[in-house]
Amino acid sequence: MKNIIKISLVSVCIGLSLSSCQSDLTSLNDDPKHPSVLPSENLLATALYQSSYYMDNPNVNFNNYRFFTQQWAETQYPDETQYNLVTRNQPRNHFNRMYVYSINNLRQAKVNLKNEVETEDIRTNKLATLEIEEIFIWENIVDTYGDVPYSEAFKPDEILSPKYDDAKTIYVDLIKRINNVIATIKPSVKGYAPIGGESSGDLVYSGDMTKWIKLANSVKLRLGMNLADVDPTLSKATVESAISGGVISSDAEAYKFKYDGNTFSNPVFDNLVASNRNDFLPSELVVNTMKNLSDPRMDIWFTKVAGVYKGGVFGELNDPYTSFSQLGPYFRSATSASNLLSYSEVAFLKAEAAARNYSAGDTAANLYTAAVTASMNENGVSVANTTSYLIANPYDAVNWKKSIGVQAWIALFNRGFASWNFTRRLDSPTLVNPPKSNLSSVPYRMPYSDQEYVLNGANVNAAASKIGGDKATTKLFWDKF
């Protein structure tokens, strides 16, 4: 991890509306003791860290995914659980982290890679790594905001005010890009592999291209499932192609960004422990749901108050902190990985695919069992307790959206973005807008960055008009029901 944060100044200059960064910074990069062009592996490492940390970050100044799914409640201030997305500029902060600090570094890495000395097979695999990671981040951006700058983004010499592309058009292009990049990969050849004990830049899979292929197909699976209600034909073809191509099939293949606990720590640890703040609690909704199901994961995840589990009321000030169950030691490790595309998530996606009568390799009931079991295994639940839980909570084919939706929502606790996709797509569990909410309903998307209205006004206003208003309550194109 030594070289992860050698961020060049190009990282803060993006060919979006942030065109004010385009002043001449060349002289500031002149340093005789260091290379003027960063190696692509350094830029990859930076992009991986930035995207992983900030997709997983529970800080109230960023994405707020855990509040969108109502799995966490607040103590010191309830603004974010009352869906105030203005005061702290969360839309701007997440937008900039994904575009400026993540994708922009990957784009620059692709440029720098061309001039690096490599065999063609290694160069091809490195380029594929950069491309798959970029697609992974694009999916997060589109499923957070909807229509966004895409085809005209990152062209500062040509376009200073990029248009907002239609979200479904971006989806179709991302699927095409996944298919194209997988076809180029040489699985028997390493990509960004560690050399001599030094970091390789690939801080997720260490150059293992078979795992990058499985990640690419798993992202494709996500995209395909999200299309289910809006374009069933494309959805079915995409999902079945992804599964047949090989998706994540074990915890060892999951997309996990690992922290060393020294230079870089898990973002939940940073916000629960290192900050020495007591801002967050498991919500009453998640605690009561798990209690009603006799869920053994509660003993691993939460503390008790006077011998019982008690969640915080969502949207209210839960004070004092000590009157409620707290997130236990399981979530408080500095070295816990950000598990951003887990085996259990993929297993639930496959179960849903089978429930929709797609060819997913097994029945919906068996895939549901595999998904719940995967989550139990990820959390260290015993075989006996897992078996008992499945007997008490079997797959319900009649109410499959609720059956899969509730179990996925629990399994993806503390994985806010992944959970949000399920709650929006399956509408289960039912999320109730809190009484003191600043919105007319729960959020279905993140509003656009306020900076866009200053620097790219015509295009962002056109995008807002097209999608039915730049509101958190405006549903994404695929969220039809």
Side-chain angles (χ1 to χ4, degrees):
M1 284 239 189
K2 297 176 184 176
N3 298 323
I4 190 172
I5 290 295
K6 291 182 179 177
I7 304 177
S8 70
L9 286 176
V10 74
S11 300
V12 295
C13 298
I14 185 171
L16 288 161
S17 58
L18 308 181
S19 55
S20 59
C21 285
Q22 267 201 293
S23 58
D24 184 5
L25 300 177
T26 305
S27 62
L28 299 181
N29 274 331
D30 292 338
D31 184 348
K33 294 182 180 180
H34 299 89
S36 58
V37 178
L38 282 177
S40 63
E41 68 178 45
N42 293 54
L43 292 163
L44 169 61
T46 298
L48 287 168
Y49 169 74
Q50 289 287 331
S51 59
S52 297
Y53 188 94
Y54 287 98
M55 284 183 194
D56 197 27
N57 194 349
N59 189 293
V60 292
N61 295 290
F62 287 92
N63 56 63
N64 289 184
Y65 293 136
R66 291 168 179 83
F67 303 139
F68 294 169
T69 58
Q70 299 188 358
Q71 293 171 320
W72 284 24
E74 292 181 285
T75 59
Q76 302 294 326
Y77 32 77
D79 304 61
E80 289 68 41
T81 50
Q82 293 173 2
Y83 299 136
N84 179 344
L85 300 174
V86 178
T87 303
R88 297 182 185 276
N89 294 316
Q90 294 97 330
R92 176 205 303 178
N93 295 335
H94 189 69
F95 186 87
N96 289 350
R97 285 292 167 181
M98 294 303 107
Y99 273 101
V100 181
Y101 293 93
S102 301
I103 291 182
N104 193 48
N105 276 300
L106 295 170
R107 290 293 180 99
Q108 188 61 43
K110 290 179 180 179
V111 173
N112 294 3
L113 177 61
K114 295 177 183 177
N115 298 316
E116 294 173 3
V117 179
E118 297 287 3
T119 66
E120 280 308 305
D121 283 355
I122 292 176
R123 190 191 313 279
T124 295
N125 281 354
K126 287 185 172 182
L127 183 61
T129 299
L130 298 171
E131 173 72 350
I132 294 168
E133 175 62 17
E134 183 180 324
I135 293 167
F136 177 75
I137 299 169
W138 275 120
E139 187 255 332
N140 172 270
I141 293 172
V142 177
D143 286 339
T144 298
Y145 296 96
D147 293 9
V148 290
Y150 179 73
S151 61
E152 293 183 354
F154 304 100
K155 297 180 180 180
D157 295 330
E158 305 168 38
I159 302 170
L160 297 181
S161 299
K163 70 177 182 180
Y164 279 58
D165 291 82
D166 173 74
K168 186 179 179 183
T169 301
I170 298 174
Y171 253 58
V172 172
D173 192 59
L174 292 178
I175 293 167
K176 179 181 177 181
R177 287 172 65 175
I178 290 171
N179 292 336
N180 289 343
V181 71
I182 288 176
T184 69
I185 293 174
K186 318 293 182 184
S188 62
V189 178
K190 289 282 188 178
Y192 283 96
I195 299 175
E198 291 290 326
S199 168
S200 67
D202 179 357
L203 303 174
V204 175
Y205 293 128
S206 298
D208 187 335
M209 298 311 298
T210 61
K211 291 182 179 178
W212 278 104
I213 291 172
K214 290 197 171 189
L215 171 65
N217 278 318
S218 299
V219 174
K220 185 176 171 182
L221 174 61
R222 264 184 177 179
L223 293 166
M225 287 312 310
N226 281 344
L227 290 168
D229 291 329
V230 69
D231 193 336
T233 301
L234 178 58
S235 171
K236 186 173 187 291
T238 302
V239 166
E240 292 180 350
S241 171
I243 293 172
S244 65
V247 294
I248 290 168
S249 58
S250 71
D251 186 53
E253 296 170 350
Y255 181 103
K256 297 180 183 180
F257 186 91
K258 305 170 186 69
Y259 301 91
D260 63 3
N262 183 16
T263 306
F264 306 101
S265 300
N266 178 277
V268 178
F269 167 86
D270 283 347
N271 282 270
L272 294 182
V273 181
S275 65
N276 196 31
R277 294 181 64 91
N278 298 321
D279 295 339
F280 308 121
L281 301 165
S283 72
E284 187 177 55
L285 177 61
V286 77
V287 167
N288 289 348
T289 300
M290 294 178 76
K291 275 200 294 190
N292 291 337
L293 298 175
S294 299
D295 196 316
R297 287 167 289 195
M298 297 182 74
D299 294 333
I300 298 167
W301 291 352
F302 311 136
T303 64
K304 291 182 177 180
V305 178
V308 298
Y309 294 108
K310 183 180 179 182
V313 180
F314 189 83
E316 298 293 336
L317 182 65
N318 296 285
D319 188 56
Y321 174 75
T322 52
S323 295
F324 301 89
S325 293
Q326 301 165 19
L327 294 159
Y330 182 86
F331 298 110
R332 294 174 178 270
S333 170
T335 58
S336 292
S338 289
N339 194 350
L340 297 173
L341 215 169
S342 63
Y343 171 45
S344 56
E345 178 188 353
V346 171
F348 276 110
L349 288 169
K350 290 174 66 177
E352 181 183 341
R356 293 180 184 271
N357 296 315
Y358 299 177
S359 178
D362 208 335
T363 65
N366 287 343
L367 291 169
Y368 166 92
T369 296
V372 173
T373 300
S375 175
M376 296 295 181
N377 290 341
E378 288 170 3
N379 290 283
V381 176
S382 70
V383 173
N385 284 342
T386 299
T387 301
S388 297
Y389 184 81
L390 283 165
I391 291 171
N393 302 285
Y395 175 66
D396 182 351
V398 175
N399 300 303
W400 66 266
K401 285 191 175 184
K402 179 179 179 181
S403 189
I404 293 173
V406 170
Q407 290 298 331
W409 179 75
I410 294 170
L412 299 174
F413 179 82
N414 196 44
R415 299 173 192 169
F417 175 70
S419 181
W420 195 29
N421 276 347
F422 275 91
T423 59
R424 288 182 291 178
R425 190 175 60 248
L426 299 180
D427 298 308
S428 189
T430 302
L431 303 180
V432 177
N433 199 29
K436 298 176 184 177
S437 176
N438 287 271
L439 305 177
S440 59
S441 76
V442 298
Y444 297 111
R445 62 179 287 275
M446 184 83 84
Y448 294 129
S449 166
D450 61 318
Q451 287 182 329
E452 285 290 275
Y453 286 93
V454 176
L455 300 171
N456 194 17
N459 287 310
V460 71
N461 276 296
S465 177
K466 172 183 172 294
I467 65 173
D470 181 18
K471 298 173 289 187
T473 55
T474 300
K475 290 190 173 184
L476 299 185
F477 79 97
W478 53 258
D479 187 8
K480 288 297 182 182
F481 302 109

